[in-house]
Amino acid sequence: QVQLVESGGGLVQAGGSLRLSCAASGSIFSIDVMNYYRQAPGKQRELVARIYNTGSTYYADSVKGRFTISRDNAKNTVYLQMNSLKPEDTAVYYCNLPGVWGQGTQVTVSS
């Protein structure tokens, strides 16, 4: 089974940027969809962005225009570029493909 390892989280000031990476232990070439979710303290996990094998993408309204998801099948890696970060983006971010979750990476945005 494919395993997912995330990196790139950290502490950033409001208005700053971070790039999250999600490296898969196996090929993602044939995986139709990969996702980034996030979970803030006391809140439910929510879908942030999705990318299909075709390259099509989906974004939650709260991040549209600020976040960009991409995938590099040759490197078996999915990226989430986060710009214009806001304090409300503070959460643990999880990479996901159907049935598999990464360990999560903390993103903290200070005001």
Side-chain angles (χ1 to χ4, degrees):
Q1 186 179 16
V2 174
Q3 294 181 322
L4 303 174
V5 178
E6 301 170 42
S7 60
L11 173 64
V12 64
Q13 289 188 331
S17 299
L18 285 173
R19 188 175 81 154
L20 306 183
S21 298
C22 172
S25 61
S27 174
I28 65 171
F29 181 79
S30 62
I31 296 175
D32 290 336
V33 59
M34 296 194 70
N35 309 296
Y36 264 100
Y37 285 77
R38 69 184 180 188
Q39 187 166 20
K43 294 189 177 181
Q44 288 189 332
R45 193 170 295 189
E46 63 173 350
L47 177 64
V48 174
R50 168 173 290 164
I51 186 164
Y52 295 89
N53 211 7
T54 59
S56 296
T57 56
Y58 161 84
Y59 297 96
D61 287 343
S62 58
V63 307
K64 204 172 292 183
R66 300 188 297 122
F67 290 12
T68 302
I69 190 170
S70 61
R71 61 192 286 172
D72 185 335
N73 288 343
K75 294 183 178 180
N76 298 321
T77 301
V78 176
Y79 303 97
L80 185 67
Q81 177 67 43
M82 305 185 295
N83 298 328
S84 302
L85 283 161
K86 304 176 181 180
E88 51 263 44
D89 294 319
T90 295
V92 178
Y93 284 70
Y94 297 91
C95 181
N96 161 266
L97 57 87
V100 182
W101 291 91
Q103 82 282 6
T105 186
Q106 177 70 46
V107 171
T108 303
V109 184
S110 63
S111 57

